[in-house]
Amino acid sequence: MPAVVMGTVTGVRRTSPSFLTVTLAGCSTLETGGFDQRIKILLAQPGQDEPVLPPAEDWYGVYREMADDVRPVMRTFTIRAQRGEEIDIEFALHGDAGPAAAWALSAAPGSRLGIIGPEIGDNPKAYQYMPRRPDWQLLVGDDTAVPALASIISALPADAVARVFVQVPHAEDVREFETAAQVKVEWCVGGGLADAVRSAELPDGTPYAWVAGETSIVRDIRRHLTGTLGWDSKPHYFGGYWKAGQSEG
Ligand SMILES: Cc1cc2nc3c(=O)[nH]c(=O)nc-3n(C[C@H](O)[C@H](O)[C@H](O)COP(=O)(O)OP(=O)(O)OC[C@H]3O[C@@H](n4cnc5c(N)ncnc54)[C@H](O)[C@@H]3O)c2cc1C
């Protein structure tokens, strides 16, 4: 059974033009597996002070049966960090077009957010990043995948070798990733992620690829790796994190 918790905002930090980190308390029954650990966030409807949460048991069945004006808006995010009962969620901002991005822009201490995630001791496979002793890793993502990439890269062991390609909207969004590993990062500011991967000279040896971001760009990169380069598609992760022109809801 997952943990369903009501998080209370304790801090909001705008770290660069396109990123904002929200810290939430009240998450003591959640336990992140690290890496690209996904969660569902539940947002209040207009007129509600806080979202109405379903119970943990059969949460999705109950959620679907809620009245349209009661059912919270649900979106998928990543636990960026956990410190005891506190978690950080890092939002890639994209104006106020989406409810999640709009909520992040207006979040302040005391704001409430529902979170559904793995319970302590539950589901050791609640993340997708699973390299199986590759010679090197290809880690690729856009702004929405930066929180997952940052967690993955910081957990790489010292003998890991990784080529990283990251797309962000602004030059000021470029950051250092903390890591003990041998990591080469290429930043694509404002676009060009798939082209950067396509034109890269990649290392020899057995690769493991983790690619996440806008769906059509992830598909392009997948086609290049498994089609043009002939990589076996099975061991790798290709995650469509969002679709241009389409809301997640
Ligand atoms: C496993 C997983 C983990 C994720 N982790 C994170 C995370 O940690 N941080 C994070 O910011 N996102 C993350 N995402 C992506 C996030 O779920 C989507 O960006 C989602 O659409 C945001 O919801 P919204 O309510 O802001 O926008 P929506 O209502 O879903 O969409 C509104 C409009 O905004 C567009 N849109 C959505 N995202 C972007 C974007 N980044 N740039 C430009 N336009 C956009 C949509 O195409 C649509 O036209 C993750 C997705 C998945 C599947």
Side-chain angles (χ1 to χ4, degrees):
M1 203 155 39
V4 179
V5 303
M6 184 73 81
T8 302
V9 174
T10 55
V12 178
R13 270 184 311 129
R14 183 75 173 254
T15 50
S16 74
S18 311
F19 291 96
L20 185 145
T21 299
V22 177
T23 299
L24 296 128
C27 306
S28 58
T29 55
L30 274 178
E31 187 177 50
T32 178
F35 308 120
D36 54 344
Q37 175 68 66
R38 70 176 57 195
I39 48 173
K40 295 290 183 190
I41 65 167
L42 301 173
L43 302 151
Q45 290 273 5
Q48 294 173 337
D49 291 334
E50 59 180 43
V52 177
L53 302 187
E57 194 168 344
D58 187 27
W59 72 266
Y60 192 58
V62 175
Y63 174 81
R64 279 199 338 211
E65 293 300 317
M66 286 176 171
D68 288 349
D69 57 347
V70 173
R71 186 187 313 114
V73 173
M74 183 160 66
R75 295 288 184 266
T76 312
F77 280 76
T78 306
I79 296 184
R80 173 65 190 89
Q82 181 166 25
R83 296 169 302 277
E85 65 138 0
E86 275 192 345
I87 66 164
D88 290 341
I89 303 176
E90 191 174 7
F91 291 82
L93 300 172
H94 53 100
D96 57 7
W103 179 87
L105 279 172
S106 68
S111 302
R112 309 269 269 172
L113 183 75
I115 300 153
I116 301 180
E119 197 170 10
I120 288 181
D122 183 34
N123 195 359
K125 285 171 79 179
Y127 50 82
Q128 304 294 322
Y129 170 79
M130 285 185 205
R132 295 184 179 85
R133 299 180 171 277
D135 293 321
W136 68 280
Q137 304 187 30
L138 176 65
L139 306 173
V140 183
D142 68 11
D143 47 344
T144 62
V146 162
L149 282 172
S151 295
I152 290 169
I153 294 168
S154 70
L156 289 172
D159 62 352
V161 175
R163 290 291 303 274
V164 179
F165 296 84
V166 196
Q167 180 174 300
V168 287
H170 296 281
E172 303 94 281
D173 295 323
V174 172
R175 64 176 75 176
E176 282 281 318
F177 290 118
E178 279 175 33
T179 183
Q182 302 150 60
V183 174
K184 184 176 169 200
V185 185
E186 191 169 319
W187 290 91
C188 305
V189 174
L193 188 62
D195 283 341
V197 175
R198 269 194 291 263
S199 60
E201 210 168 290
L202 300 174
D204 294 329
T206 306
Y208 169 75
W210 185 97
V211 183
E214 200 283 320
T215 302
S216 64
I217 295 172
V218 172
R219 195 173 50 228
D220 276 4
I221 294 170
R222 178 184 201 143
R223 281 192 185 135
H224 171 68
L225 298 176
T226 61
T228 312
L229 300 186
W231 292 10
D232 176 2
S233 65
K234 278 197 211 81
H236 311 295
Y237 173 71
F238 297 97
Y241 269 25
W242 62 285
K243 252 189 190 160
Q246 206 171 302
S247 162
E248 190 190 333

